Amino acid sequence: MKMDALVRYDIPAEIIALWRERESDNLLPLQELVVKRHGLFDGGNLLVQAPTSSGKTFIGEMAAVQTALRRKKAVYLAPLKALAEEKYLDFKEKYEPYGLRVIVSTRDHREFDRDLEDGAFSLAVVVYEKLSQLLVRRPERLEEIDLLVADELELLADPDRGAMVELLLTRVLQTRCRVLGFSAVLGQADKLAEWLQANLVFYERRPVELRYGVLYDGVFRFRTYNDFGEGEEPLVPLESESPWEILSENVCALSDRGEPCLIFVKAKHESRQGAERLAARVNLPPADDAIVALQKLEPTRSRDALLKTLRNAVAFHNADLSPEERRLVEKAFRAGAVKVLVSTSTLAQGMNLPAQNVFVSADKWRYDRRFGMPWKTPILRAEFENMGGRAGRYGAGQPFGRAILVAATRFDQETLWRRYVESPPEQIAPRLADTPLENPAVHLTAARFCRTEQELQDFLENTLTGQWVWRERYTLDEVAFRVRAAVNQAVDAGALVKDADGRLEATPFGQAVAAKGITLDTARELAHWISESETRLWNDLDLIFAAAMMPDGRMPCVSLTAQEYERADYVGILKQLTQEEALAADVPLNQMRNCPQMPFFEEVRAVKVALILRQWIDHAPLRDIEEQFHTMTGQVIAAADQISWLIDATAALAVAVGAQAAFIERMRTLAERVQHGLHERALPLARLSKPRLTRNEIAALIAHNLHTPDAIAAAPIMLISGDLRAVW
């Protein structure tokens, strides 16, 4: 189908010309199928299940733009902040010149939150959690959204986020809003489509063929994705019991042939070390443009390591990198300057990268909150499909791609083949089934979506968990008992009240809990900190540490080695820094200071997080923080994001309980400081600068007492560059 044929669906010629320039003169087969046979532009819910690189994302983009052109609102849900920002920048560049108002809302991007609440947008790119929280504060906005594009529906199976996604989609399904869902191939797609009240579009072909299978003893045994044919391809033979050695030899050979290679590993340190080892073995030209761009960024341990590996066109990608470093690596790989990229699963969702060969580790680390520790487990069949599908991307000019599992023994070859080639994909496991129901009860009541126990029961029975799990596991009386118990717990916590007629209403406290997306357990502990702290003197470290100790403040992403736990004496540093503080208040800081025994592992991690963020808001250079606390910049930024959110939630709870205005304002200011890593007097620069200045640039200005626009305008030219002067 020619792109020009879309004019019959009321797509303006200017938009079609843009799509033809950016995409192709023709729609891909899946896109044509959805437009012609499944009424993409006609209405009705759709669930599109298709392999990566088949064109799902552009289907959502076409539908969202057509919705906006009819002066209706479209929301594009993304699973990750990085993916949301990528989509936002792409949509903004393409459609704002035409008059569409495009906004983005993530924890990193809060500048459009008011526009999202007010409905001042044509197309909004939003992470799932932000939309869920918006609908607590402004539930009527859901009635104004005409189309919801839900990308990466595999998120329903996420142990930490799946329950929230399930509740959000159940709410949407009970309105007139249209849902367009995307996922890779999953088991029992028909059942998922039935729950979504959607027409299932199941498509199994890729525009570029993919060979997926197992490399053993120098032979790559594969199955082809499109025609299910099997074959063998000789690669590099190597007698070794080390899968990494086998992988390395083959990556060197493939990259020498000019074939880009993407390697997925299970841990952040493996990605960095793997890139360093491969950079020492390959013979590739340096990624000069990436090196020059990287040298302009603030020094970090990751930046310095990347500068070395990029000399041989090798890079790594993980959550320890800063956002700027990650974007630079992705750009260099897309441009072909980086030929070998070693990554954790940070690149597995939605990123369009031109790898011809993808090597996948068959194991992953999973953090279990019940035990407070990670454990190694095999990846799922669907995860192999998602990661392996990064190979052979449409438009990269490659005849086919390879998704390769490496086996060191005959046993590994046979078991890997059976599990990841011959076995069917797993069914989604609903996560609400494992979630305490008092949190959904507060959320749904606060949003005025459910006002009685019966309405809560009816709603929960219509969730994915209710349809797939409870119907088989519980009677109606048992479900009613679980709902009643959850409501009673929420009432006891002060989040809900129930009148004599059984009507439920969220208290101001419950409204704050739901609007900020925190759990009741965390809210109770924060409320206790508020009651203990409103009338006493407390320092910033006190609240930062309290937030880090909350159930929602647990951050396994911040590394803490066994050696650090035993020898670093972070607790001793905390006690020394707060030795002048009073010990009377019953708050986490004093509990730690008064404890004569060795704290638990997670408690020491919380101390480490608090000490890191104390340096962060005091303008310490990132490299100094990394060295002092054996951490990485990405961990610092992740901790700042999490703790800033919890401090902001504390301020909202303080409003709900009627705390003093000055007390509330101090917490809000601290939340903003933690988010940006700045002194209080630097916040006006962070708020006013357009485009946004970096933390490093703001710190440099503050060091010269240039903390206002007037001071910057009057500064001698040698103190400030023309570029920074132009910002104002």
Side-chain angles (χ1 to χ4, degrees):
M1 180 179 179
K2 292 288 187 183
M3 193 74 74
D4 289 339
L6 293 176
V7 70
R8 72 183 68 166
Y9 299 99
D10 296 326
I11 306 297
E14 297 95 322
I15 298 294
I16 293 174
L18 175 67
W19 289 349
R20 196 170 56 241
E21 176 187 351
R22 297 294 187 94
E23 300 292 330
S24 172
D25 288 335
N26 301 295
L27 293 177
L28 293 174
L30 172 63
Q31 296 162 355
E32 180 177 355
L33 175 68
V34 175
V35 169
K36 284 185 172 181
R37 191 175 300 176
H38 295 279
L40 176 66
F41 299 118
D42 299 333
N45 294 351
L46 294 175
L47 172 61
V48 181
Q49 289 214 328
T52 56
S53 191
S54 56
K56 297 190 296 289
T57 299
F58 185 59
I59 292 172
E61 183 177 338
M62 288 191 292
V65 170
Q66 194 236 24
T67 298
L69 290 171
R70 291 187 284 113
R71 301 190 67 81
K72 297 185 177 181
K73 302 186 192 307
V75 171
Y76 194 107
L77 288 177
L80 301 173
K81 294 182 295 182
L83 191 57
E85 181 171 7
E86 180 184 271
K87 297 295 182 192
Y88 163 68
L89 293 174
D90 181 46
F91 292 166
K92 176 182 173 68
E93 178 191 0
K94 287 193 276 192
Y95 304 121
E96 281 205 343
Y98 194 78
L100 274 65
R101 176 157 173 74
V102 182
I103 66 172
V104 62
S105 184
T106 69
R107 280 191 197 167
D108 288 347
H109 287 279
R110 305 177 188 180
E111 62 267 30
F112 294 115
D113 283 4
R114 177 59 60 184
D115 293 323
L116 183 64
E117 289 195 21
D118 294 341
F121 63 87
S122 305
L123 173 56
V125 184
V126 188
V127 294
Y128 283 82
E129 285 85 350
K130 291 285 283 193
L131 182 61
S132 179
Q133 293 164 25
L134 164 72
L135 295 180
V136 173
R137 298 187 297 272
R138 302 295 297 271
E140 73 278 7
R141 287 293 172 231
L142 187 55
E143 300 298 327
E144 300 174 3
I145 299 172
D146 192 67
L147 173 68
L148 185 77
V149 179
D151 203 1
E152 303 286 349
L153 277 177
E154 298 92 333
L155 195 60
L156 282 163
D158 186 275
D160 296 319
R161 304 171 68 196
M164 173 274 303
V165 176
E166 190 177 337
L167 290 169
L168 173 61
L169 292 178
T170 305
R171 286 195 62 187
V172 174
L173 292 172
Q174 296 183 19
T175 69
R176 294 174 295 178
C177 179
R178 184 189 184 199
V179 176
L180 184 57
F182 298 133
S183 76
V185 178
L186 300 171
Q188 296 187 286
D190 54 339
K191 287 183 63 178
L192 182 59
E194 181 182 359
W195 177 69
L196 289 170
Q197 304 163 29
N199 182 15
L200 175 63
V201 183
F202 187 77
Y203 191 78
E204 295 186 282
R205 296 190 65 83
R206 294 169 48 97
V208 177
E209 183 60 273
L210 178 68
R211 299 176 178 180
Y212 63 104
V214 183
L215 170 62
Y216 171 67
D217 197 23
V219 176
F220 177 46
R221 180 188 176 194
F222 61 85
R223 179 174 287 174
T224 54
Y225 199 97
N226 287 340
D227 60 15
F228 294 96
E230 294 188 13
E232 293 184 346
E233 179 183 2
L235 293 179
V236 178
L238 183 68
E239 292 186 7
S240 174
E241 295 182 356
S242 168
W244 180 258
E245 283 300 313
I246 298 170
L247 179 150
S248 299
E249 286 296 317
N250 281 275
V251 166
C252 290
L254 292 168
S255 61
D256 281 344
R257 286 159 37 180
E259 298 184 15
C261 296
L262 173 60
I263 301 133
F264 282 109
V265 294
K266 61 183 177 292
K268 293 180 290 187
H269 71 275
E270 289 182 14
S271 66
R272 183 180 65 256
Q273 292 172 359
E276 291 171 343
R277 292 172 184 171
L278 287 168
R281 298 176 70 160
V282 299
N283 184 23
L284 298 169
D288 289 327
D289 291 344
I291 291 173
V292 171
L294 198 61
Q295 287 171 334
K296 297 178 182 178
L297 300 182
E298 181 177 358
T300 67
R301 296 166 72 183
S302 292
R303 190 204 74 151
D304 294 348
L306 282 169
L307 285 172
K308 295 177 181 177
T309 63
L310 286 171
R311 295 171 188 165
N312 288 301
V314 178
F316 58 93
H317 190 288
N318 59 47
D320 281 348
L321 275 65
S322 71
E324 295 80 10
E325 290 165 350
R326 289 199 295 268
R327 284 192 290 268
L328 192 150
V329 167
E330 293 159 16
K331 181 179 179 182
F333 192 64
R334 287 194 188 99
V338 168
K339 297 295 185 184
V340 178
L341 179 57
V342 190
S343 176
T344 58
S345 58
T346 53
L347 281 176
Q349 286 188 310
M351 295 296 186
N352 184 16
L353 298 171
Q356 185 166 353
N357 307 288
V358 173
F359 291 83
V360 180
S361 169
D363 295 321
K364 66 178 180 180
W365 289 105
R366 176 181 172 186
Y367 181 81
D368 196 315
R369 291 184 179 273
R370 295 173 300 173
F371 309 124
M373 61 185 298
W375 50 282
K376 191 164 65 173
T377 182
I379 63 172
L380 300 175
R381 169 71 166 78
E383 290 172 321
F384 173 61
E385 173 126 357
N386 200 15
M387 288 186 278
R390 304 298 114 191
R393 304 294 288 184
Y394 176 72
Q398 301 157 353
F400 60 85
R402 300 182 188 89
I404 304 172
L405 294 157
V406 177
T409 67
R410 174 69 68 179
F411 171 80
D412 289 340
Q413 182 199 34
E414 290 297 326
T415 54
L416 290 173
W417 180 268
R418 290 177 184 177
R419 181 176 177 92
Y420 297 109
V421 179
E422 293 184 334
S423 66
E426 302 87 356
Q427 177 183 325
I428 286 179
R431 295 301 178 178
L432 186 60
D434 306 318
T435 301
L437 292 183
E438 58 267 27
N439 294 311
V442 173
H443 184 100
L444 292 167
T445 305
R448 301 183 292 283
F449 204 77
C450 298
R451 305 301 294 269
T452 66
E453 289 181 5
Q454 185 59 54
E455 289 179 359
L456 280 169
Q457 181 178 340
D458 292 342
F459 180 94
L460 293 170
E461 287 176 348
N462 284 310
T463 62
L464 196 62
T465 292
Q467 297 289 305
W468 286 15
V469 179
W470 288 355
R471 282 190 176 184
E472 298 180 0
R473 187 180 299 176
Y474 303 122
T475 66
L476 290 178
D477 287 342
E478 288 173 323
V479 173
F481 175 81
R482 289 168 60 84
V483 171
R484 191 178 310 115
V487 169
N488 289 338
Q489 285 181 298
V491 170
D492 291 343
L496 298 181
V497 292
K498 181 165 46 173
D499 65 19
D501 296 325
R503 299 282 293 178
L504 298 173
E505 187 167 345
T507 64
F509 178 77
Q511 287 282 349
V513 170
K516 293 303 179 181
I518 59 176
T519 62
L520 268 179
D521 286 343
T522 289
R524 279 189 288 254
E525 295 187 33
L526 289 176
H528 181 72
W529 186 91
I530 291 169
S531 68
E532 291 286 313
S533 305
E534 184 179 3
T535 59
R536 71 179 175 95
L537 295 175
W538 54 275
N539 62 23
D540 297 336
L541 189 58
D542 192 317
L543 180 50
I544 291 172
F545 178 62
M549 285 287 287
M550 295 300 109
D552 290 338
R554 296 282 179 89
M555 279 172 287
C557 63
V558 177
S559 62
L560 179 69
T561 65
Q563 184 176 14
E564 277 184 284
Y565 174 66
E566 295 172 357
R567 302 180 184 177
D569 196 24
Y570 292 135
V571 176
I573 297 173
L574 179 73
K575 291 178 178 179
Q576 183 179 5
L577 289 171
T578 58
Q579 60 184 342
E580 302 298 326
E581 305 296 322
L583 284 166
D586 180 26
V587 294
L589 176 61
N590 287 340
Q591 293 163 8
M592 182 62 64
R593 293 165 68 199
N594 288 324
C595 180
Q597 299 174 340
M598 182 67 176
F600 293 119
F601 193 88
E602 288 301 325
E603 292 174 330
V604 175
R605 194 199 306 266
V607 174
K608 178 178 178 177
V609 167
L611 295 176
I612 286 172
L613 295 181
R614 175 182 173 272
Q615 296 279 58
W616 165 252
I617 63 175
D618 200 32
H619 290 193
L622 281 168
R623 187 58 187 266
D624 291 352
I625 297 175
E626 290 181 325
E627 293 297 332
Q628 182 177 353
F629 295 102
H630 312 285
T631 189
M632 305 292 286
T633 289
Q635 297 178 26
V636 176
I637 295 172
D641 177 58
Q642 190 86 347
I643 299 304
S644 170
W645 162 58
L646 289 173
I647 295 175
D648 183 62
T650 309
L653 293 174
V655 172
V657 300
Q660 299 173 18
F663 178 62
I664 295 166
E665 184 57 31
R666 182 179 172 190
M667 286 188 285
R668 286 175 172 164
T669 299
L670 181 58
E672 193 174 2
R673 290 180 59 203
V674 172
Q675 179 190 1
H676 297 296
L678 296 172
H679 290 155
E680 184 173 353
R681 64 182 181 137
L683 292 180
L685 293 181
R687 295 166 183 159
L688 292 174
S689 59
K690 302 290 182 181
R692 184 184 300 171
L693 295 175
T694 67
R695 172 180 180 267
N696 208 29
E697 291 167 339
I698 292 175
L701 292 171
I702 294 298
H704 289 89
N705 290 317
L706 301 174
H707 56 280
T708 66
D710 290 342
I712 292 174
I717 191 66
M718 70 283 296
L719 287 183
I720 183 168
S721 72
D723 289 340
L724 287 181
R725 186 181 293 274
V727 168
W728 308 96

